[in-house]
Structure formats: C-alpha cells, structure tokens
Amino acid sequence: MSKENKIGSGVMLNAYPDSIGSNLSGIITMLQTPEFKEVFSLFYVLPTFFNSDLDRGFSIIDYNLNKELVSDADLIALDELNIQLKFDIVLNHLSVASPQFKDILKLGDHSKYKDFFINWNTFWEGNGTMGDDGVIIPKKEFLNKLFMRKSGLPVLKVLFPDGTEKPYWNTFYQQIIYNKISINDLNKVEGLTLDKAEQICKKINSAIQENKDFTTINFEDCNQYKNEIITIVNQNRTYLGQMDVNANSSLVWDFYEETLKKLSKYGCKILRLDAFAYLHKEIGQSNFFNKPGTWDYLDRIKQIAQKNNLLLLPEIHAEYGLHLHDEVANKGYQIYDFFLPGLTIHTIENRNSKALLSWAKEIINKGYKTVNMLGCHDGIPVLDLKGKEVNGTYNKGLLEDDEIEYVMNKILERGGRVKNLYDPSGKKISYYQVNATFFSALGESEQKLLLARAIQMFIPGIPQVWYLDIFAGKNNYKAADKEGSAGHKEINRTNLTIQEVKDSVNRDVVINQLEIIRLRNTSKAFLGHVKINDTSDREIDIVWKNKEHVAQLKVNLQTHTFNIVYTQDGIEKTMYF
C-alpha cells in the first residue's frame, strides 16, 4: 500500500511531543512495541514540536525544531515506522517572543516588521472614537460584528522605544508582566540618592509582588521624579501574547512561503490551518470567516501548499446550522468532523442512533473528506452541534438545544470544565467547549469508551485518536486547578511516563481499543465503500466492503454491547465486546 493511500485510510495518533515520557522519543518507543504494531499510520504532533511559549504550543516563536523535545533522529525513526506526519501552522498569530515582534519592540517605527502585525488604532482610524486609554473604540455597527474569544477589546498595548504605547490586535491570549526593578535601574534618575532609590525600589517591588497599581504610590519627597520612575518601570515590563499578523503585508506571505517549505522538509504531509478563519480582517465585516476575503487567503495558502506537496486541513469551529463545513468541503478541502464527539456521547447516553447516523449519511451522500476524533488537545465541542439563523432562515442543528444542554450538563456533572465565548462588552454569549477526558465524559465506563471507539473507527473519515483516551485517562483536576482560570484544557493533557504506558497495555480497555484501531488501520475493507444498514434507533449497523474484504459493526445501544465481523485472509472472524 502506498503512503498516499495510507493518508487516505489509516488511523492518526494525536499527542504532544512529550505526552509520553519526556520528549518525542518516548512516543516513538511506545510505537515500536509489539502492542502498537500497525496501529497507526499517521501522527498529528502538536506544535510544542516547534519553539513556542504559550497555549501549549499554539503561540509560535518560530517553526524551528524544539530541540528540548524533538531531534532529527526522531524524524528518521518515524519515517522508518512508515508514520506520516501532520503539523499545525497557526496562520492568525505569532508569539510576542517571535523575532518579528521582538524587532518591533526594539526598533519601533523603524522596524521592517512594523506592519507585520496589526496596529489596532491604525486599522480603525476614522472608524471609531479614541478612548481614554488611547485605544480607538470602533463604531457600534462595526464593533457588534466582532467575534470575541475573551472579554474586552482584543488588544495588547506595547511600549515603543520612544516611550509611546501602541495597541496591537490580539484575538487570543495576552499578558503584561511587570518585573521587579533594582537600584541600578534608577541610576539614570538625576538627583535621586541611593537611600531614596532603595526605598522606592521596595515600594514598587512590593506593589508588583501584590499585583497592585504602582502608579498610585506616593513617593513623598521624591514625587518630582515619579513620572521618570514610572517610565523606567514600564520599560522594564515584558509581555506574553499571541499577536495577530497583518495578512496585507507581503512579509507575512513571505513568512508563510518559508514556513510551509520548512514543514515539508520535516516530513509533513497534512497541514492543519489553525485559527485561519480569523486571518482576514476588514472594516464592516466580522473578524471570523468573512467572505470573500477568507476564501482568497485560503486559495493563496493552497497554492503554497501544493508547491510543497502538503494536504491542507482548515480548522473551523462553527455552528452546524451555519453550514461552513459544507462550504469548505465544496471548495475541495478536507474538513474536521467536530460534530462526532458530541454526537457520540449523545448516542451512547440516550441510547439513540438517529442523530449520529443522520450525520454519517450526510458525510457519505455529500462525499465529505473528514478527519474525526473523540478526545483531543482541546475540549469537546458543543457549539458546533447547534442550529443557526442565516439571512432570516433558521437552519436546524444536528441536535436540538435541549439535547445539547443535556450532553453538556452530563459532562459537567462528571467533572468537566467549561470554555465560553463573549460579546464585545465582555458578556458571555455561549458555551464553546466542555473540557474533559472522553473517558470521564462517559462516566468512566470502559464499555462505553470501547463502544465510542468502535463507532469512531466505522464512521467515514480519518480517525484521529488522542493518546490519553487509549489508556482511559481520567480528568486531571490538579493540573487544571494549578493553571487557574485558564487551566480548563489541562484536565485532558496528562503526560504519561514510559512505565505508566507499560503498566497500562495489559488492561482490557487498552488491549481492546488497540485491537479495534489496528483493524481500522490495516483492513482493506476500509479502502472500499461504506453502507449504513436500516435498523431501529436503538441499534447501529455499519458495513465497509472492498471486493472480498468486509468489516461490519453491529451495536445494541440498549446494552452498549457490540460485535465486529471482518474478513482476514479470506476467513470470517468476529470480535465480541
């Protein structure tokens, strides 16, 4: 079988480089064991593979190998295992620690990268009013069209070398860190004695330590130096953040060209376009998948990808009723099946296959090329299942709102955490995702997890398998709590040691999952055609056929039991679960 065919039919592992052991070699060691032989043909390596600083890899500094986690030898070993690679390019943003943004902070208006990122005030000039904080507030009719990932305006104010503050567009995470100062930092303040400098340092550092506003400090008989001192404190600050790039800049497209070429050399075959729907920005339009600008950018990226033999996978989270998945598929792209996780939980918990099989039939009838998953590095999508009003007409969702609420509440009852979306005023407008391991979301029932895995393996598309789900990983509340308000995702990102993997591979839930996944990865039946046989809503019957090769899944949802009948070397065999 050619590698190209394997990309079209095999099973994909999904993990961070250090999800097993301490670096990528740990996962390779696992894949080299007899238990994992022929289980996976593809590997979606998350972007801590590259140099990054936030959001577990999705704040890219540069696309060079992260030498702490990845080596050239690892790439050779994966190739020898016939494992094809999938990577991310985060199209919408780069880290404040990227060479491009650091150049702006160093050189200000003289930086060649001054327009590589989006100066918020420059973008909105003439289309809003200046706020008291020096940030333009867009006109209401424009502001109301913005899709917010956090409360407040999506900006990070950074200090230029000339002492001015500039607001830059920042859709996702941002933080200003005020660092403690030393007496040496105050040496440039003429007239300030050593004793006074020491007292001022203590006051300022105490305020920084306690997260208080240092600008309100009374410096008493040194107040004449206050402005100069505050300037020094500000100059000493650092930033964390994912800064939106300006796709109107030719330098940004030069960067994309360079990056895709580099990823291809690493062995990338599938390229996931993270956050691409936020890239095109235009006054008077939404900042999420506005048209035709987003399509124009996607076409340009596709041309670069084709030169580097890369298959694109755009990442889009949107309500089913918006039918964006349909539009993207009709343009010839593979799409993410973000509907399957919630539908699978709904099917198992309600013992009803109607909604799931309706979606599966749509995949077949419309010829969608999908990548699906159960668990992943992110949350379990719920917003994606909803209906949506479009141009005055309501398009139904895959589930009704009360059914979605039931799924979400069931996961929350079992310990899940919530991620929300906001309007421009900072008001929560919707749940976005619920964060939990898929095992915990199913009430930590091993039988339900096996059933979910079997359903995934028989639904059309490339199955992507989260490493932690293989081992029936449970919610990690300690890790989530440790990261505070932004720690919801860590509930499902527990790193495993090599020893923990060795201890787990003899568990029935692991052995049985690997057996089901291996069948999906190796059986030629899955290179053929799929048919969903008519049954009651309490059953599932899916059969794949390719000449003499057959694989059939039969499920009794009342009991959550199932069997898989398949042919191997001309002999019919059955797995019972």
Side-chain angles (χ1 to χ4, degrees):
M1 185 183 293
S2 71
K3 290 184 179 181
E4 183 178 355
N5 284 337
K6 284 192 174 184
I7 288 175
S9 65
V11 183
M12 182 186 303
L13 176 64
N14 180 204
Y16 292 98
D18 58 344
S19 290
I20 307 294
S22 57
N23 50 41
L24 188 55
S25 65
I27 292 177
I28 292 169
T29 297
M30 180 187 78
L31 293 174
Q32 290 169 335
T33 63
E35 292 85 356
F36 280 83
K37 184 179 180 181
E38 296 186 322
V39 171
F40 296 108
S41 297
L42 300 135
F43 183 11
Y44 171 24
V45 194
L46 287 156
T48 47
F49 184 94
F50 313 113
N51 294 314
S52 61
D53 62 356
L54 275 177
D55 197 16
R56 196 80 187 264
F58 286 91
S59 180
I60 300 289
I61 295 173
D62 62 51
Y63 285 89
N64 296 325
L65 295 183
N66 177 356
K67 293 296 187 179
E68 292 184 4
L69 302 182
V70 183
S71 70
D72 293 327
D74 294 331
L75 300 181
I76 294 170
L78 287 168
D79 186 60
E80 290 174 348
L81 286 166
N82 291 320
I83 299 288
Q84 301 298 304
L85 299 177
K86 169 183 158 189
F87 294 134
D88 282 281
I89 180 171
V90 186
L91 286 177
N92 180 69
H93 48 265
L94 280 174
S95 168
V96 294
S98 65
Q100 296 89 341
F101 203 80
K102 286 173 74 174
D103 197 74
I104 291 177
L105 294 177
K106 180 180 179 181
L107 301 176
D109 288 327
H110 299 292
S111 170
K112 68 176 286 189
Y113 297 107
K114 181 172 70 79
D115 297 321
F116 192 95
F117 301 91
I118 303 172
N119 183 310
W120 176 272
N121 284 352
T122 301
F123 183 92
W124 291 105
E125 187 175 2
N127 292 284
T129 57
M130 184 63 70
D132 294 338
D133 59 352
V135 178
I136 290 178
I137 303 170
K139 292 177 181 178
K140 187 175 181 180
E141 62 265 32
F142 302 146
L143 186 61
N144 288 342
K145 290 187 177 182
L146 295 184
F147 186 80
M148 302 296 193
R149 294 297 299 259
K150 59 189 179 187
S151 60
L153 292 177
V155 298
L156 174 66
K157 293 172 71 176
V158 298
L159 193 67
F160 269 32
D162 63 2
T164 60
E165 282 192 320
K166 308 284 187 182
Y168 274 84
W169 200 313
N170 167 248
T171 297
F172 293 85
Y173 183 86
Q174 55 120 326
Q175 183 181 359
I176 297 176
I177 302 167
Y178 288 96
N179 300 299
K180 291 182 179 181
I181 62 170
S182 67
I183 294 173
N184 290 336
D185 292 320
L186 299 180
N187 281 343
K188 61 185 78 172
V189 182
E190 292 187 15
L192 190 65
T193 66
L194 186 62
D195 288 344
K196 295 295 184 184
E198 187 175 356
Q199 292 174 23
I200 290 169
C201 279
K202 286 181 179 179
K203 287 184 177 182
I204 289 174
N205 291 340
S206 176
I208 290 173
Q209 178 76 29
E210 297 171 15
N211 200 28
K212 293 181 178 179
D213 185 359
F214 56 81
T215 64
T216 63
I217 295 174
N218 183 358
F219 293 134
E220 299 172 355
D221 57 349
C222 293
N223 274 332
Q224 66 268 34
Y225 307 119
K226 183 170 183 175
N227 289 340
E228 193 174 354
I229 293 168
I230 296 301
T231 297
I232 291 170
V233 177
N234 279 323
Q235 289 172 339
N236 199 42
R237 74 192 189 193
T238 53
Y239 309 94
L240 288 172
Q242 298 152 290
M243 310 310 298
D244 291 36
V245 300
N246 176 17
N248 288 319
S249 167
S250 61
L251 289 178
V252 168
W253 290 94
D254 291 344
F255 174 74
Y256 291 156
E257 289 264 8
E258 171 193 325
T259 299
L260 267 63
K261 184 177 181 180
K262 182 180 292 186
L263 299 187
S264 180
K265 288 183 177 179
Y266 292 152
C268 179
K269 297 298 180 184
I270 301 178
L271 185 60
R272 178 181 182 267
L273 305 183
D274 184 76
F276 88 94
Y278 295 91
L279 182 63
H280 187 269
K281 298 174 176 69
E282 187 173 332
I283 290 170
Q285 293 198 27
S286 169
N287 60 323
F288 178 82
F289 213 115
N290 59 53
K291 306 167 191 176
T294 301
W295 289 124
D296 293 341
Y297 284 171
L298 199 51
D299 285 343
R300 290 180 68 178
I301 290 290
K302 187 175 184 178
Q303 290 172 27
I304 302 170
Q306 287 173 337
K307 287 191 296 184
N308 293 283
N309 197 29
L310 298 172
L311 179 68
L312 294 184
L313 179 59
E315 181 243 3
I316 312 167
H317 276 290
E319 298 95 330
Y320 172 87
L322 196 59
H323 291 308
L324 264 183
H325 65 282
D326 210 21
E327 289 187 56
V328 175
N330 287 338
K331 294 280 187 178
Y333 295 97
Q334 282 198 317
I335 59 172
Y336 257 118
D337 183 355
F338 286 123
F339 309 120
L340 184 63
L343 287 174
T344 301
I345 294 172
H346 166 81
T347 299
I348 292 172
E349 295 300 329
N350 290 280
R351 294 176 164 83
N352 190 306
S353 62
K354 185 176 181 179
L356 172 72
L357 296 184
S358 175
W359 167 238
K361 289 173 183 176
E362 182 179 340
I363 296 173
I364 296 168
N365 293 337
K366 293 190 175 182
Y368 295 152
K369 304 298 182 185
T370 67
V371 173
N372 63 50
M373 78 285 293
L374 299 178
C376 68
H377 71 281
D378 233 335
I380 298 170
V382 289
L383 173 69
D384 302 63
L385 296 169
K386 293 173 69 69
K388 182 77 171 179
E389 184 174 310
V390 180
N391 298 324
T393 300
Y394 183 77
N395 298 325
K396 289 190 66 174
L398 288 168
L399 295 179
E400 299 294 334
D401 285 354
D402 61 338
E403 293 175 317
I404 294 170
E405 197 77 14
Y406 175 83
V407 170
M408 183 189 68
N409 287 334
K410 182 64 70 174
I411 300 170
L412 292 176
E413 287 170 11
R414 293 167 173 170
R417 303 286 172 93
V418 177
K419 169 72 174 177
N420 301 319
L421 294 175
Y422 300 87
D423 67 13
S425 68
K427 179 182 177 183
K428 186 189 86 173
I429 56 174
S430 177
Y431 292 111
Y432 177 43
Q433 296 175 336
V434 185
N435 294 91
T437 70
F438 213 78
F439 183 52
S440 291
L442 291 170
E444 298 180 0
S445 162
E446 293 186 359
Q447 183 62 28
K448 288 181 180 179
L449 181 62
L450 285 176
L451 174 54
R453 183 66 64 212
I455 289 171
Q456 183 199 13
M457 292 300 116
F458 274 78
I459 291 293
I462 298 176
Q464 177 178 292
V465 179
W466 184 235
Y467 76 98
L468 195 58
D469 292 344
I470 299 170
F471 302 101
K474 298 179 180 180
N475 287 343
N476 189 336
Y477 303 111
K478 184 177 180 181
D481 292 340
K482 182 181 178 182
E483 298 299 320
S485 60
H488 53 280
K489 294 181 181 180
E490 297 307 314
I491 201 169
N492 185 32
R493 296 177 174 179
T494 305
N495 286 3
L496 302 176
T497 66
I498 296 293
Q499 189 59 49
E500 285 174 324
V501 170
K502 288 180 179 178
D503 293 342
S504 295
V505 291
N506 293 320
R507 293 172 59 195
D508 286 344
V509 69
V510 178
I511 293 170
N512 290 333
Q513 278 193 87
L514 292 178
E515 189 175 7
I516 295 168
I517 296 169
R518 186 181 292 107
L519 175 68
R520 174 65 180 81
N521 192 57
T522 59
S523 172
K524 292 180 180 179
F526 294 98
L527 296 175
H529 300 284
V530 60
K531 181 184 177 184
I532 298 175
N533 292 323
D534 292 335
T535 61
S536 76
D537 291 343
R538 303 298 181 185
E539 299 172 294
I540 297 173
D541 185 349
I542 304 175
V543 58
W544 285 82
K545 287 186 179 179
N546 178 24
K547 297 179 181 178
E548 71 275 16
H549 305 283
V550 179
Q552 184 171 16
L553 170 68
K554 290 186 176 182
V555 178
N556 181 336
L557 288 171
Q558 292 280 35
T559 60
H560 294 142
T561 56
F562 62 97
N563 64 65
I564 297 172
V565 179
Y566 65 101
T567 54
Q568 186 177 57
D569 299 324
I571 301 171
E572 185 177 286
K573 298 185 177 183
T574 305
M575 302 179 193
Y576 294 97
F577 299 96

